[in-house]
């Protein structure tokens, strides 16, 4: 794992380009900074200044090389690289509250923006008028939309919101695509139809992040009541919820069809497994802290501590984890959603860390999958060696 | 203040009441949820069968109903104080995840209305429940919208 400290400001959101040589981050202000990898260092190459309010979401389309950003100024801009300069195009979202999240669809012909106006704006490019048009999904969302994820078929959209629910909508736009085939989530998909709704009903907290698996059959979300939930569309609609004993998680990502990585206020990414039966189990924390060495404090240090802090103890206030503050976003660095080898986390401490699944960890995950299918002996290997 | 007569009566208006999109929480009538059976729990305490008493008092938590809640809370406190300090850990281990979460809810409810000795026992229970449920169980107490 390699950590790079960009600045001391929190990184609100980040997005990678296709070959992972450039990263676009927003350092908790109105701008997007694009850093270019040169050797082992990251050098700032562009500054995108157009928004009037804090940037809340960035997404970089890998194939068409366009960046979409959304901010608290209720606007979204689509940026295209022309002659080495990023040029913005304003998108009228028609929302009266801040935008909170933005994501390109898999085919990159539309993108969805979640907002505090209790609606999702799905935008597509209308070539006759040469501008981006937005359509709203409003019912039955009753509070801020915090997170979105597209299904691989480019039509279904999962949304997690502050009304404690996670929903699957259809974002089918007839102007840009053909009718989609049936999926485990439903077959009739007019624009704005709710195909599934989970959560609420008593417990539950704000749904911070949602993620579809690479096949689109599984949907995972994390919520503020420290739970992770996975539902399998092919196996009926009972979600399998795991109540964790950690602080709430803020971001979740499928890294294979059966494994989910999530990270949040505990500043440490965690691995969860979802087996074929649909039940979710916690595997391990992925940040193994180095054993803290209790060193003998010299007399000089004792007196210095006494003078400075009125105590003779060696108080180390740094956290044991790599990240020193909450992790707000997890993204895939190498591989794709069906088989991820490296993933990246950014957080409020301004650091970006790339986590590497060493080969044996991946082997263990596959090993466990084979065991649960009964191809090998019943002895389950539960320890992940790193 | 308003321009023509310097009145600030408008400050007493609750604008959120008039918002047509106001979020109204789905009210779930906990009428069907009766509180734990008092007689059963009392008899179990007297018999000294404290583990059973704990399980019984955690069954059927009354959600959201006013007077039921207070009775259940008082009963809960009785059971928790009846335990010896050394037995607390074993009792917490015998609960499943939902049980630990429910226990945490009752503990925090007990903190809200302290009586003479309740805080000490509750703090002992809190320590053991925390090691079983982690900070996640406390987060679930804070984010739960159905109070026990």
């Amino acid at each position: 794992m390699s950590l790079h400290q960009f600045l001391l400001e929190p990184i609100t959101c980040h997005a990678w380009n296709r070959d992972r040589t450039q990263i676009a981050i927003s350092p908790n202000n109105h701008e997007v900074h694009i850093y270019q990898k040169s050797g082992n260092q990251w050098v700032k190459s562009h500054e995108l200044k157009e928004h009037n309010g804090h940037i809340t979401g960035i997404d970089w389309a890998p194939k068409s090389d366009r960046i979409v950003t959304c901010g608290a100024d209720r606007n979204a801009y689509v940026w295209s690289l022309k002659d080495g300069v990023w040029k913005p195009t304003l998108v009228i979202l028609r929302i009266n509250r801040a935008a909170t999240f933005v994501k390109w669809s898999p085919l990159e012909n539309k993108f969805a923006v979640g907002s505090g106006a209790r609606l999702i704006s799905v935008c597509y490019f209308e070539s006759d008028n040469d501008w981006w048009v937005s359509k709203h999904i409003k019912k039955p969302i009753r509070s801020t939309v915090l997170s979105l994820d597209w299904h691989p078929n480019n039509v279904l959209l999962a949304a997690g919101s502050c009304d404690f629910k996670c929903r699957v909508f259809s974002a089918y736009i007839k102007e840009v695509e053909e009718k989609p085939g049936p999926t485990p989530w439903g077959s009739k998909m007019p624009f704005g139809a709710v195909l599934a709704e989970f959560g609420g009903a008593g417990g539950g907290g704000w749904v911070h992040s949602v993620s579809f698996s690479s096949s689109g059959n599984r949907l995972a979300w994390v919520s503020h009541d420290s739970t992770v939930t996975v539902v399998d569309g092919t196996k009926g609609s009972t979600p399998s919820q795991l109540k964790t004993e950690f602080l709430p998680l803020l971001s979740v990502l499928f890294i294979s069809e059966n494994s989910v990585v999530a990270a949040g206020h505990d500043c440490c990414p965690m691995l969860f497994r979802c087996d074929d039966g649909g039940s979710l189990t916690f595997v391990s924390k992925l940040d193994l802290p180095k054993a803290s060495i209790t060193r003998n404090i010299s007399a000089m240090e004792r007196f210095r501590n006494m003078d400075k802090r009125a105590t003779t103890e060696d108080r180390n206030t740094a956290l044991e984890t790599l990240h020193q503050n909450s992790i707000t976003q997890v993204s895939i660095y190498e591989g794709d959603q069906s088989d991820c080898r490296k993933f990246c986390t950014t957080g409020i401490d301004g650091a970006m860390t790339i986590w590497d699944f060493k080969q044996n960890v991946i082997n263990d995950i596959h090993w466990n999958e084979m065991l649960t299918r009964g191809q090998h002996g019943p002895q389950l290997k539960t320890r992940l060696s790193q | 203040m308003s321009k023509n007569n310097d009145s600030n009566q408008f400050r007493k208006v609750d604008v959120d009441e008039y918002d047509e999109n106001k979020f109204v929480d789905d009210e779930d009538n906990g009428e069907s949820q009766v509180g734990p059976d008092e007689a059963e729990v009392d008899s179990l305490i007297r018999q000294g069968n404290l583990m059973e008493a704990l399980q019984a008092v955690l069954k059927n938590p009354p959600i959201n109903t006013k007077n039921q809640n207070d009775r259940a809370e008082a009963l809960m406190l009785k059971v928790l104080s009846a335990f010896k300090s050394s037995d607390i850990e074993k009792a917490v281990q015998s609960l499943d995840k939902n049980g630990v979460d429910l226990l945490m809810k009752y503990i925090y409810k007990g903190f809200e209305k302290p009586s003479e000795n309740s805080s000490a026992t509750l703090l002992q229970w809190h320590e053991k429940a925390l090691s079983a449920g982690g900070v996640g169980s406390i987060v679930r107490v804070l984010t739960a919208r159905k109070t026990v």
Side-chain angles (χ1 to χ4, degrees):
Chain A
M1 8 187 176
S2 58
L3 181 144
H4 182 253
Q5 185 79 34
F6 276 104
L7 296 157
L8 289 175
E9 282 85 24
I11 297 182
T12 337
C13 44
H14 73 271
W16 291 98
N17 69 343
R18 175 184 39 205
D19 46 10
R20 305 316 195 225
T21 52
Q22 297 190 50
I23 183 173
I25 64 168
S26 173
N28 204 31
N29 60 9
H30 304 341
E31 306 168 357
V32 176
H33 296 172
I34 300 188
Y35 285 79
Q36 173 94 32
K37 192 172 179 91
S38 69
N40 252 350
Q41 301 291 6
W42 291 91
V43 174
K44 193 191 298 193
S45 58
H46 295 100
E47 278 190 19
L48 275 46
K49 300 187 214 222
E50 193 79 19
H51 276 278
N52 285 326
H54 276 228
I55 308 245
T56 50
I58 306 179
D59 200 17
W60 199 321
K63 293 176 220 135
S64 51
D65 211 29
R66 287 177 295 182
I67 299 180
V68 63
T69 58
C70 72
D73 57 354
R74 316 185 299 273
N75 286 336
Y77 288 91
V78 175
W79 305 78
S80 316
L81 192 60
K82 287 190 179 62
D83 305 321
V85 179
W86 287 95
K87 291 262 188 305
T89 312
L90 174 65
V91 177
I92 312 272
L93 298 170
R94 296 181 290 128
I95 55 182
N96 57 5
R97 293 289 187 277
T100 55
F101 195 90
V102 67
K103 202 119 199 258
W104 281 108
S105 71
L107 291 179
E108 296 164 25
N109 50 4
K110 35 182 196 178
F111 60 88
V113 182
S115 71
R118 288 180 291 248
L119 52 85
I120 304 173
S121 229
V122 181
C123 306
Y124 61 98
F125 193 67
E126 207 170 65
S127 32
D128 329 331
N129 296 341
D130 193 29
W131 72 336
W132 290 85
V133 177
S134 73
K135 285 178 100 163
H136 287 171
I137 300 179
K138 267 198 178 164
K139 292 193 184 343
I141 307 176
R142 299 174 66 206
S143 189
T144 308
V145 175
L146 287 179
S147 159
L148 299 165
D149 194 26
W150 287 92
H151 187 281
N153 73 352
N154 210 55
V155 172
L156 298 181
L157 185 62
S161 75
C162 279
D163 58 0
F164 322 114
K165 294 199 201 277
C166 171
R167 301 183 175 91
V168 179
F169 290 100
S170 155
Y172 165 64
I173 306 232
K174 58 184 194 301
E175 284 90 344
V176 295
E177 57 200 347
E178 290 143 23
K179 246 184 145 102
T183 68
W185 302 102
S187 32
K188 286 215 167 294
M189 302 179 230
F191 180 82
V194 182
L195 297 168
E197 184 177 278
F198 306 100
W206 308 315
V207 180
H208 284 297
S209 175
V210 297
S211 171
F212 268 114
S213 68
S214 61
S215 66
N217 290 335
R218 288 196 172 148
L219 179 62
W221 64 92
V222 281
S223 130
H224 201 73
D225 59 345
S226 301
T227 58
V228 186
T229 322
V230 174
V231 69
D232 196 328
T234 51
K235 296 206 169 59
S237 53
T238 10
S240 153
Q241 187 181 69
L242 176 65
K243 297 188 184 191
T244 70
E245 46 197 40
F246 313 116
L247 292 177
L249 298 158
L250 290 175
S251 180
V252 71
L253 193 62
F254 265 99
I255 48 158
S256 78
E257 192 66 22
N258 284 342
S259 315
V260 168
V261 160
H265 288 293
D266 266 325
C267 319
C268 163
M270 317 207 184
L271 183 62
F272 296 88
R273 276 198 37 100
C274 163
D275 61 23
D276 286 340
S279 56
L280 194 55
T281 46
F282 169 65
V283 177
S284 79
K285 288 192 179 191
L286 291 173
D287 191 351
L288 299 177
K290 297 185 282 288
S292 53
I293 312 158
T294 45
R295 34 185 212 113
N296 291 322
I297 310 174
S298 72
M300 175 64 139
E301 283 183 40
R302 271 190 211 274
F303 282 118
R304 198 186 306 138
N305 279 339
M306 195 64 183
D307 189 31
K308 255 206 261 183
R309 299 188 207 138
T311 169
T312 48
E313 291 167 19
D314 176 25
R315 293 248 227 93
N316 187 10
T317 48
L319 286 183
E320 282 184 346
T321 52
L322 263 182
H323 275 280
Q324 294 300 302
N325 209 326
S326 309
I327 296 178
T328 49
Q329 191 179 345
V330 182
S331 67
I332 297 196
Y333 181 75
E334 192 179 294
D336 58 19
Q337 278 213 290
S338 53
D339 174 29
C340 168
R341 287 176 293 280
K342 294 189 188 171
F343 65 94
C344 158
T345 53
T346 56
I348 308 186
D349 53 352
M352 181 266 296
T353 312
I354 297 178
W355 305 81
D356 189 351
F357 279 121
K358 292 207 191 66
Q359 202 48 36
N360 48 1
V361 173
I362 291 285
N363 280 342
D364 277 356
I365 295 178
H366 289 158
W367 184 253
N368 280 335
E369 285 175 13
M370 287 195 287
L371 286 174
T372 49
R373 286 195 208 123
Q375 288 182 11
H376 288 257
Q379 202 176 8
L380 251 188
K381 207 170 10 153
T382 46
R383 256 200 63 67
L384 277 183
S385 43
Q386 273 205 330
Chain B
M1 41 199 169
S2 87
K3 284 210 169 114
N4 52 355
N5 54 2
D6 285 345
S7 151
N8 50 9
Q9 278 297 107
F10 70 89
R11 294 192 188 280
K12 301 208 170 85
V13 173
D14 181 9
V15 270
D16 287 334
E17 287 295 317
Y18 298 102
D19 182 8
E20 66 225 9
N21 285 327
K22 181 176 172 193
F23 183 91
V24 178
D25 210 349
D26 295 329
E27 264 318 307
D28 188 16
N29 273 332
E31 295 297 346
S32 49
Q33 298 269 24
V34 195
D37 194 355
E38 286 209 48
E40 180 188 341
V41 177
D42 278 338
S43 63
L44 284 170
I45 296 181
R46 250 175 278 123
Q47 285 168 22
N49 194 350
L50 293 175
M51 297 289 234
E52 286 291 324
L54 185 61
Q55 302 282 359
V57 80
L58 283 176
K59 249 193 312 193
N60 293 335
I63 317 278
N64 272 344
T65 42
K66 257 289 150 142
N67 37 7
Q68 299 263 24
N69 282 353
D70 297 336
R71 269 196 304 126
E73 176 55 34
L75 202 56
M76 188 72 202
L77 205 44
K78 226 188 329 178
V79 174
L80 292 184
S81 335
F83 270 81
K84 278 204 294 286
S85 323
S86 39
D87 292 339
I88 295 183
E89 181 159 358
K90 245 192 310 148
V92 170
Q93 306 285 10
S94 71
L95 294 173
D96 63 343
K97 264 212 162 185
N98 289 337
V100 173
D101 284 347
L102 198 48
L103 178 65
M104 263 302 188
K105 273 199 198 165
Y106 273 114
I107 292 176
Y108 274 92
K109 189 108 198 294
F111 281 144
E112 285 173 34
K113 299 195 178 78
S115 53
E116 319 85 42
N117 253 340
S118 67
S119 296
T121 15
L122 285 177
L123 276 173
Q124 284 182 314
W125 277 91
H126 185 273
E127 182 195 345
K128 297 290 184 282
L130 181 60
S131 52
V135 283
S137 60
I138 301 184
V139 174
R140 276 185 282 283
V141 172
L142 297 173
T143 54
R145 287 172 299 135
K146 289 191 166 175
T147 53
V148 83

